[in-house]
Structures are given as structure tokens and as C-alpha cells.
Amino acid sequence: MLTRVIRVDPANIVPESIEQAATLIRSGELVAFPTETVYGLGANALDEQAVARIFSVKGRPTTDPLIIHVKSRAQLDETAIAVPDVAYRLIDQFWPGPLTLVLTRSERIAAAASAGLATVAVRMPAHPVALALLEAARVPVAAPSANRFAHPSPTTARHVLDDLDGRIPLILDGGPTTVGVESTIVDLTRSHPRLLRPGGIPVEAIAEMLSDLEIVSRFATEADGAMPAPGMMLKHYSPRAELRLFDGPDDAVHAAIYNAVSDLLSQGRRVGLLVADEDRPYLSALGVPLVSLGSLRNLEQIARNLFAGLREIDSQDVEIILARSYPPAGIGLAVRDRLMRAAEGRVTHVQS
Ligand code: TXA
Ligand code: MG
């Protein structure tokens, strides 16, 4: 299959491009499109066969449910039933935007999209191209991140092409995404609201509205223990190279990374670094490939660059990537969570 890429300027959307994409969605095909978080791989959420295609194209286990994207409250009502008041309070505050709510599934939504569960994850994206596509498609759109299973999420059309070229008919290229990490997921189907995944909306902002929000500390540490949500413990965000994460005060992290690189180089290993601007002066003398995600003082920038940085250092013929961790405040919690998962337990905690 030939994969076409159509450039769509978010500030000046050409209706014909969107109409082509919407026609594919309505006819049961898949389309990759930009959201404010990462690129999504979309299918008609009402069509079981179209949804099944998402799992096979991504190589994703069918036990890992998808997020349904809607353009309006009316479409939310086609997707979920018995929506509690607390959901509407969160929606007023955060939609459109990177907040996904887990609610009770409407029978209309393909069962495969929810991996057979009675619940459904739903969000309204804050990206003009995504909203235009939803408007034109006139159906809710099931869309996971548009990467091959276990790869880092795509934040550019190029990343989607690298993973899915020849497997889908169309990619809408709306330029690099602005948030860079996926949506925050909150489960509202239990007695207490529960954070299932930290993401683009800082958990602090949600906790301010939901005093009884349950937050599992696991997000700030190695991802082990019980599985809080379907799909959460699957292999995730894995670069080709082995990623090792260093967590602790800056000076101790610099010393530990410096020593680890020196050791690995003396063993003849090919090493790369994924760090922040402030780390450069301490590590550049090592002379190994280095990708910076931005300044430690700007965690939004770090988040925006995270997945592209991971893909970039991974493409530089290295066997081992040494990365620094980030403070768990604001969007930093999501960055930390993604790196912890990418490290698959290879985390070194250092002290000053
Ligand atoms: O920002 C985002 O959320 C992006 C863009 C494309 O919208 N999408 C995304 O989808 O990150 P994906 O498939 O990579 O992650 C979806 C995750 C699942 O792995 C699962 O953990 C959770 O959402 N999820 C989906 N449905 C659920 C449900 N019914 N109950 C609990 N968790 C659910
Ligand atoms: Mg994903």
C-alpha cells in the first residue's frame, strides 16, 4: 500500500485534504493525524473491523484499549453513558485538551476499541487538524498513538512514516506536535477518581478540582507492581538501544553518568547521551553522541522534545543510551514516567 502524506497547515486548513481523510475514515480505512500531544492512528470508532485494523497495523495486543476522540459534548454522549457530574466539571476546565476520561462505554462504540471492557476512554483533542477531521468524519474516532507497538510515540509526520510507511493510506502532516507527551488519563468509573497515566495536563491541576483523586506513586518510580489499568504494564516507548536512567541531584547524576560512560567506552561499547542543556558542560568532554531535550527550567520544552530526542539518539548507531531523569512536578511527572518505562527497570538512584 502506498502511504500518502498531505501537509495541512493548522492555521490555514484546506477543506479538500480533510475531506479525503474523512472519506477514508468513513469507509473503514486508517488515517494518521496530528493532535496537540502526539500523532494518532485513527479509525471509525463505530466500526469493529476498522478498529481491528488499528491493532494489526500497529502490532498492538488486542488487550490494550484505545482512546476515542470526539469533537463535542453531543459526540461524548454517543460514546459514553451515565457520565457523572464530575466529568462535566473536568471537561469544562480541560477540553479541548490533553485530558482523557475513562467512563462507562456506550454500546455504539466498537467493543474491540475498549478491548472488550465495559468502560471507554474518551477525549476532545485541542488541535485544529484533529478537530476538523472529527467534524468532517461525523463519527467518533478511535486513535492510539501512531507508532509501531512499543516504539516511542510519534510527534512528527516523519516519525509516523518511519513506523507505518506502506501500512496505512494517509498521514495528515500538521507539523510537530506542541505538547509532546500523551494525554493525562483519569478513571471516573470507580468510587474514587484515579490517575491512570500522567500526561499533558499536570496532575496538580486535576487534584485541585478533585480532592479525592487517587495517585499511584508508581509513576515517579520504576514501573513495577500491580497493573493499574489495561495496557499500562506493556513494554513501552522502547528505543532500539538499551536505555539506562539516572535519577538524583544534578551533581551526583553528572558524576554517575560520566563514570558510567567512561567504563562503557573502555569496554568498547557505543554509548549515547539523552540529557538537558545544563548537563552539556559536564558531559560534552566525553565526546559521545549527545542529544539535549532543552533546559531544565522549561519542562514543557523537555516534554515537547522527549520522543523526537529519543528517536534521534537511537538513530546514531549507539548500543546504550544513558539518560537523566526529571523532577516529578507539573508535566515533569509525565516525562519521568515515560523515561522510567523506556528504561524498563534499568534505573540508577544516586545521592549527592
Ligand atoms: O494523547 C493521547 O492520549 C494520544 C493521542 C493520539 O490522543 N493517544 C494515546 O493512545 O496515547 P494510546 O493508545 O497510546 O494509549 C491509550 C491508553 C491505553 O494504553 C490504556 O492504558 C488507556 O489508554 N486506556 C484506554 N482505554 C481504557 C479503559 N477503558 N480503561 C483504562 N485505561 C484505558
Ligand atoms: Mg501509545
Side-chain angles (χ1 to χ4, degrees):
M1 176 188 297
L2 179 73
T3 301
R4 283 199 308 142
V5 181
I6 302 183
R7 168 78 201 160
V8 186
D9 179 356
N12 183 19
I13 294 174
V14 179
E16 291 75 46
S17 312
I18 298 295
E19 201 43 59
Q20 286 183 40
T23 302
L24 285 168
I25 295 277
R26 276 199 304 272
S27 62
E29 299 289 336
L30 307 188
V31 174
F33 62 97
T35 80
E36 76 281 30
T37 57
V38 301
Y39 274 71
L41 178 61
N44 178 355
L46 309 178
D47 180 340
E48 291 284 355
Q49 273 169 21
V51 168
R53 202 165 275 159
I54 290 180
F55 290 92
S56 68
V57 159
K58 277 193 60 140
R60 177 178 175 118
T62 53
T63 50
D64 187 5
L66 310 177
I67 293 172
I68 312 300
H69 296 67
V70 299
K71 65 174 163 81
S72 62
R73 296 269 184 116
Q75 226 171 36
L76 168 66
D77 294 334
E78 284 177 47
T79 304
I81 57 165
V83 177
D85 284 347
V86 59
Y88 290 110
R89 285 198 283 126
L90 290 168
I91 286 168
D92 281 340
Q93 187 78 18
F94 298 114
W95 279 14
L99 175 67
T100 294
L101 300 176
V102 174
L103 300 164
T104 305
R105 178 167 66 92
S106 157
E107 295 279 301
R108 300 193 56 198
I109 297 297
S114 282
L117 299 170
T119 58
V120 65
V122 51
R123 84 175 188 103
M124 188 192 300
H127 193 291
V129 174
L131 288 171
L133 176 61
L134 288 166
E135 190 65 50
R138 299 192 300 272
V139 289
V141 170
S145 49
N147 50 284
R148 290 278 294 168
F149 174 64
H151 286 199
S153 296
T155 56
T156 65
R158 179 76 239 177
H159 296 159
V160 180
L161 201 60
D162 287 345
D163 273 22
L164 301 178
D165 192 13
R167 297 178 157 262
I168 57 175
L170 180 63
I171 301 171
L172 295 179
D173 177 359
T177 63
T178 51
V179 176
V181 290
E182 303 88 340
S183 59
T184 304
I185 306 181
V186 176
D187 184 356
L188 297 177
T189 62
R190 310 163 125 250
S191 58
H192 290 289
R194 188 155 73 134
L195 178 73
L196 294 183
R197 178 176 74 183
I201 300 283
V203 60
E204 294 90 335
I206 296 164
E208 222 169 85
M209 295 184 64
L210 304 181
S211 54
D212 57 345
L213 179 68
E214 195 185 318
I215 301 166
V216 190
S217 63
R218 189 183 59 77
F219 297 123
T221 59
E222 288 91 315
D224 54 5
M227 180 161 91
M232 293 300 282
M233 296 310 292
L234 299 167
K235 191 174 163 67
H236 254 107
Y237 312 112
S238 308
R240 190 184 40 77
E242 174 184 308
L243 188 128
R244 300 184 188 172
L245 192 64
F246 290 79
D247 186 35
D250 289 352
D251 52 351
V253 163
H254 293 150
I257 292 183
Y258 195 96
N259 291 334
V261 172
S262 305
D263 282 354
L264 289 164
L265 289 178
S266 70
Q267 294 162 29
R269 310 297 296 273
R270 298 190 309 279
V271 185
L273 296 172
L274 185 68
V275 293
D277 291 347
E278 287 84 348
D279 303 322
R280 271 188 196 277
Y282 302 93
L283 303 172
S284 55
L286 289 162
V288 299
L290 181 154
V291 169
S292 173
L293 299 177
S295 170
L296 290 173
R297 285 176 314 212
N298 186 347
L299 291 177
E300 281 73 24
Q301 182 189 34
I302 301 273
R304 192 177 307 128
N305 294 332
L306 175 66
F307 291 129
L310 208 45
R311 282 178 184 252
E312 190 186 331
I313 190 65
D314 203 29
S315 71
Q316 296 193 29
D317 191 34
V318 296
E319 300 164 273
I320 299 173
I321 299 166
L322 303 188
R324 66 126 65 229
S325 189
Y326 295 86
I331 204 165
L333 183 64
V335 173
R336 203 178 156 83
D337 171 70
R338 304 306 186 268
L339 284 169
M340 290 279 177
R341 288 169 194 280
E344 296 177 57
R346 294 177 295 261
V347 184
T348 304
H349 297 279
V350 292
Q351 252 111 60
S352 47

